[in-house]
């Protein structure tokens, strides 16, 4: 039987349509330091040619580990041959130097003795996939263990947060069984980051600059540098951002950099939660368990009903953006408000200032409450006249129409609307002169909005949205950890991420 050396923690899944491109990408990954690659032979028109590619590649990179996979189309692969043909390809892959082979349970159950023979020459991965949902996993695991193997791979599709929770729990609850556990899809993405720390043998990543073989895969560089998958432990505290959509969020860049800077054993992941899944999400959060999370659209108001305690200011604003667990209770606060008043207080005396809030949603409520509590005389304008009047009553402010605003002048103007946000980067609430001296735009993508650009051209002081983003994130970090936030590191991470994202969006 082959020597059972531990497999590396990250496997790069290479599903390319021809051998030259497969070899090119494999060499690129090896040159960047990755040493565990899956060759999806079923993606090739001639899988046998793929086995020769394994030998060629290992001749150049003998320290790499190759996992060979040739999944039949009946089991959601791309190979159209018989089971016998499939096993011959795996035989050739092992002869070429593959150290492991992945055979789906549907094949393994038909030819268990052939699988046992393969296992004498390479590590055997028995895999099970469900591309629709996540059924009960105990029967699946019992079914798979009837075939002796070195690794059992269980991959489902997450339709709700608790689906991902059950997938992650499988490795944690079965430490003596060598498992790979993943949930496909964007909702299941955190499983790719967390599974190895919770006991999984390895996880899968997409190759750099090439589409992965499953929904939700990201490349290994992001797993290592952004999520620090090699650094955090099974005892790490887990945080995240709850939103829908969530893929665009910059928060993972900022908070993971902060944890790294302070050498805290913690990780922060995006958590996709739809508007009707909050109750299910809290079941997932309790079971994982989550230590805390950020909250953004569309959940800032609705999430309050699931919390045991809400900070008085957040209750008044009617929105929570920061949640943490203390004494077994879920607690919520709003750090957006302080993130508005803090930067402005450095530029103007708020108790004697006047401010115009543009907007009437949750962000506007936070800004209006923060400034009114600081003694600022507040005016409110926006598209929905009824909501403008309601917000003005809440903070003792003045409701104003757009036409009235243009006849007045304020010390502060705060844009609390999405006007100017990507992709509508040429939009601006004010077409001409901006009626204020200090212009605060809550929009942070792009870094310089049309409003900020015009403010600077008009000689006004401008506060871009990234300042607010950093301020609220700093306060979140301090609530969660009790430590002083590494502000400079967090700001650098946010700027780098936003500049990269904006460059990608413009391509």
């Amino acid at each position: 039987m082959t020597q059972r050396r531990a497999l590396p923690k990250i496997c790069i899944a290479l599903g390319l349509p021809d051998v030259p491109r497969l070899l090119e990408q494999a060499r690129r990954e090896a040159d960047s330091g990755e040493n565990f690659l899956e060759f999806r032979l079923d993606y090739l028109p001639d899988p046998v040619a793929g086995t020769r590619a394994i030998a060629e590649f290992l001749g150049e990179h003998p320290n790499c580990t190759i996992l060979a996979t040739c999944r039949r189309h009946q089991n959601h692969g791309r190979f159209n041959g018989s089971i016998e043909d499939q096993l011959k390809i795996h035989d050739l892959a092992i002869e070429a130097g593959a150290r492991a082979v992945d055979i789906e349970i549907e094949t393994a159950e038909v030819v268990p003795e052939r699988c046992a023979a393969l296992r004498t020459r390479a590590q055997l991965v028995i895999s099970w996939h469900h591309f629709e949902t996540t059924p009960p996993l105990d029967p699946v695991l019992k079914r798979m263990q009837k075939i002796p193997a070195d690794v059992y791979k269980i991959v489902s599709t997450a339709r709700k947060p608790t689906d991902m929770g059950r997938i992650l729990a499988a490795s944690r609850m079965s430490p003596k069984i060598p498992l790979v556990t993943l949930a496909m899809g964007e909702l299941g993405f955190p499983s790719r980051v967390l599974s190895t720390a919770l006991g999984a043998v390895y996880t899968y990543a997409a190759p750099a600059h090439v589409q992965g073989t499953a929904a939700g895969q990201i490349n290994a560089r992001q797993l290592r540098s952004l999520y620090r998958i090699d650094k955090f432990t099974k005892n790490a505290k887990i945080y995240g951002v709850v939103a829908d959509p969530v893929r665009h969020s910059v928060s993972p860049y900022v908070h993971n950099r902060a944890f790294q800077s302070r050498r805290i054993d913690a990780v922060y992941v995006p958590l996709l939660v739809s508007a009707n899944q909050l109750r299910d999400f809290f079941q997932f959060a309790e079971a994982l368990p989550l230590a805390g999370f950020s909250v953004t659209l569309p959940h800032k108001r609705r999430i309050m009903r699931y919390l045991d305690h809400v900070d008085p200011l957040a209750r008044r604003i009617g929105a929570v953006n920061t949640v943490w667990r203390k004494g077994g209770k879920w607690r919520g606060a709003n750090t957006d408000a302080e993130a508005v008043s803090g930067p402005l207080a450095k530029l103007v005396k708020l108790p004697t200032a006047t401010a115009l809030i543009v907007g009437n949603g949750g962000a506007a409520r936070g800004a209006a409450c923060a400034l009114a509590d600081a003694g600022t005389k507040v005016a409110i304008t926006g598209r929905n006249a009824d909501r403008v009047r309601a917000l003005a009553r809440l903070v003792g402010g003045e409701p104003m129409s757009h036409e009235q605003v243009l006849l007045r002048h304020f010390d502060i103007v705060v844009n609390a609307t999405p006007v100017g946000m990507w992709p509508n980067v040429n939009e601006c609430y004010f077409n001409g002169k901006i009626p204020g001296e200090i212009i605060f735009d809550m929009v942070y993508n792009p870094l310089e909005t049309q409003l900020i650009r015009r403010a600077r051209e008009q000689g006004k002081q401008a506060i871009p949205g990234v300042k607010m983003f950093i301020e609220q994130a700093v306060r979140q970090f301090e609530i969660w950890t009790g430590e002083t936030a590494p502000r400079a590191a967090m700001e650098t991470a946010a700027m780098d991420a936003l500049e990269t994202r904006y460059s990608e969006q413009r391509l």
Side-chain angles (χ1 to χ4, degrees):
M1 183 171 288
T2 187
Q3 184 180 3
R4 269 30 181 175
R5 288 183 293 162
L7 295 170
K9 188 172 286 189
I10 298 176
C11 180
I12 312 298
L14 300 177
L16 283 303
D18 57 68
V19 168
R21 276 186 277 184
L22 173 63
L23 285 172
E24 177 186 5
Q25 190 63 42
R27 289 165 180 144
R28 185 178 299 167
E29 297 295 333
D31 291 342
S32 69
E34 298 302 329
N35 60 0
F36 186 19
L37 310 176
E38 179 188 35
F39 277 36
R40 284 295 301 267
L41 303 178
D42 54 314
Y43 274 56
L44 301 171
D46 181 8
V48 173
T51 67
R52 293 193 290 268
I54 292 175
E56 181 178 343
F57 175 76
L58 290 175
E60 302 166 357
H61 300 278
N63 294 325
C64 285
T65 296
I66 299 298
L67 165 64
T69 300
C70 187
R71 188 169 300 137
R72 301 179 73 216
H73 77 271
Q74 292 93 332
N75 305 316
H76 294 271
R78 301 190 181 186
F79 181 62
N80 291 315
S82 66
I83 288 178
E84 183 61 30
D85 293 334
Q86 179 189 24
L87 294 173
K88 287 179 180 178
I89 289 167
H90 282 110
D91 273 326
L92 291 172
I94 295 171
E95 289 178 12
R99 213 177 94 198
V101 293
D102 180 329
I103 297 179
E104 59 271 29
I105 183 63
E106 293 85 355
T107 289
E109 288 175 327
V110 176
V111 286
E113 70 291 343
R114 296 288 299 276
C115 290
L118 289 174
R119 193 175 176 226
T120 64
R121 302 161 55 212
Q123 295 198 46
L124 178 64
V125 178
I126 297 294
S127 61
W128 171 90
H129 294 77
H130 201 297
F131 291 86
E132 299 300 327
T133 186
T134 302
L137 298 178
D138 284 344
V140 174
L141 190 54
K142 290 178 181 178
R143 173 189 176 189
M144 296 179 73
Q145 285 186 280
K146 294 177 181 179
I147 309 295
D150 299 285
V151 177
Y152 298 96
K153 184 174 78 173
I154 297 178
V155 181
S156 71
T157 300
R159 299 298 182 190
K160 57 185 185 296
T162 52
D163 288 346
M164 178 175 58
R166 288 188 290 121
I167 277 286
L168 287 171
S171 289
R172 188 175 55 196
M173 301 302 180
S174 308
K176 295 183 179 180
I177 304 173
L179 293 177
V180 168
T181 49
L182 294 171
M184 292 183 289
E186 186 181 358
L187 198 152
F189 165 77
S191 68
R192 299 180 181 277
V193 175
L194 302 174
S195 62
T196 54
L198 298 178
V201 178
Y202 62 84
T203 188
Y204 285 85
H209 311 300
V210 176
Q211 186 175 351
T213 59
Q217 282 181 357
I218 63 168
N219 65 55
R221 181 184 60 79
Q222 289 178 297
L223 283 177
R224 296 187 198 280
S225 63
L226 172 55
Y227 295 103
R228 302 179 303 127
I229 192 173
D230 296 319
K231 302 298 183 182
F232 71 88
T233 72
K234 65 180 181 180
N235 298 316
K237 290 187 175 180
I238 302 170
Y239 299 90
V241 53
V242 174
D244 182 16
V246 75
R247 183 174 297 180
H248 69 288
S249 177
V250 176
S251 295
Y253 295 86
V254 172
H255 284 294
N256 283 316
R257 180 76 63 85
F259 293 143
Q260 181 181 20
S261 181
R262 288 289 183 259
R263 300 178 183 274
I264 295 174
D265 188 15
V267 64
Y268 184 105
V269 294
L271 297 162
L272 178 65
V273 180
S274 66
N276 63 348
Q277 291 181 338
L278 276 175
R279 184 179 299 278
D280 186 86
F281 165 75
F282 272 92
Q283 295 176 18
F284 159 78
E286 289 278 358
L288 189 56
L290 277 181
F293 50 91
S294 312
V295 186
T296 186
L297 295 174
H299 304 303
K300 286 186 177 184
R301 295 177 66 86
R302 186 174 298 178
I303 205 161
M304 293 171 64
R305 70 183 67 171
Y306 298 96
L307 303 179
D308 302 297
H309 175 79
V310 177
D311 176 86
L313 176 59
R315 179 79 62 186
R316 181 171 170 231
I317 294 170
V320 161
N321 79 322
T322 306
V323 176
W324 69 101
R325 182 159 31 194
K326 183 178 180 180
K329 302 291 186 180
W330 289 110
R331 299 173 179 268
N334 188 307
T335 66
D336 288 336
E338 188 177 334
V340 173
S341 58
L344 286 170
K346 297 175 182 178
L347 301 176
V348 65
K349 293 181 180 179
L350 294 179
T352 59
T354 59
L356 172 68
I357 310 295
V358 181
N360 46 64
R365 288 171 67 91
C369 288
L371 292 176
D373 287 353
T376 304
K377 187 176 180 180
V378 174
I380 313 290
T381 190
R383 290 180 300 179
N384 188 315
D386 290 337
R387 294 180 66 178
V388 165
R389 286 191 290 268
L391 179 53
R393 284 195 300 271
L394 174 69
V395 299
E398 179 183 3
M400 301 184 74
S401 67
H402 182 70
E403 291 72 23
Q404 289 174 315
V405 163
L406 297 179
L407 299 175
R408 296 274 291 273
H409 194 78
F410 303 86
D411 297 310
I412 301 164
V413 172
V414 178
N415 175 39
T417 77
V419 175
M421 183 183 295
W422 175 268
N424 304 309
V425 296
N426 294 319
E427 294 183 357
C428 182
Y429 187 82
F430 299 100
N431 293 322
K433 186 177 179 180
I434 305 170
E437 292 304 313
I438 302 171
I439 313 305
F440 192 129
D441 195 346
M442 290 187 176
V443 173
Y444 61 81
N445 182 14
L447 281 169
E448 185 179 67
T449 62
Q450 190 71 253
L451 176 62
I452 293 297
R453 185 177 300 111
R454 289 183 183 178
R456 287 171 174 158
E457 290 171 352
Q458 295 175 21
K460 303 176 186 298
Q461 290 182 295
I463 303 176
V466 70
K467 290 292 185 182
M468 177 186 173
F469 177 80
I470 292 300
E471 289 296 326
Q472 62 85 23
V474 161
R475 183 65 185 128
Q476 287 181 332
F477 179 90
E478 292 173 346
I479 289 172
W480 291 333
T481 68
E483 297 192 20
T484 302
R487 184 185 298 269
M490 296 171 77
E491 186 166 356
T492 298
M495 296 292 284
D496 289 347
L498 286 168
E499 287 173 356
T500 298
R501 181 154 301 166
Y502 188 51
S503 297
E504 292 173 347
Q505 288 170 334
R506 293 198 303 176
L507 292 177

